[in-house]
Amino acid sequence: ATGRALLAKAAERQLLTARGQMRVLRVARTIADLAGATRIAPGHLAEATARIAGRELPRGTVFLEGRTT
């Protein structure tokens, strides 16, 4: 899934407001920066969405191309 589709799906499921979507993008940008990426990947958006939704991520969870390993 593309980043835009992933964000739209998260907005539908969690009823994210425009402000909430911007928060996801800011957190995803931070995650991408920490990973040394120049662009936000779908995996960064997935991780940001999970963290903002308050889900506990298992220790050592790595997001790659929208999938968790």
Side-chain angles (χ1 to χ4, degrees):
T2 66
R4 288 178 196 234
L6 188 66
L7 190 57
K9 186 183 262 187
E12 286 175 17
R13 276 198 239 149
Q14 299 173 12
L15 301 174
L16 287 176
T17 62
R19 184 177 290 181
Q21 290 178 37
M22 292 305 296
R23 184 173 180 207
V24 169
L25 287 173
R26 283 194 311 270
V27 172
R29 175 73 261 164
T30 300
I31 293 166
D33 287 344
L34 291 171
T38 57
R39 293 184 176 188
I40 298 172
H44 301 137
L45 285 168
E47 183 174 354
T49 301
R51 291 184 183 280
I52 288 173
R55 295 187 201 120
E56 284 295 317
L57 299 175
R59 181 174 237 151
T61 299
V62 177
F63 285 82
L64 299 172
E65 297 301 316
R67 298 181 305 256
T68 58
T69 58

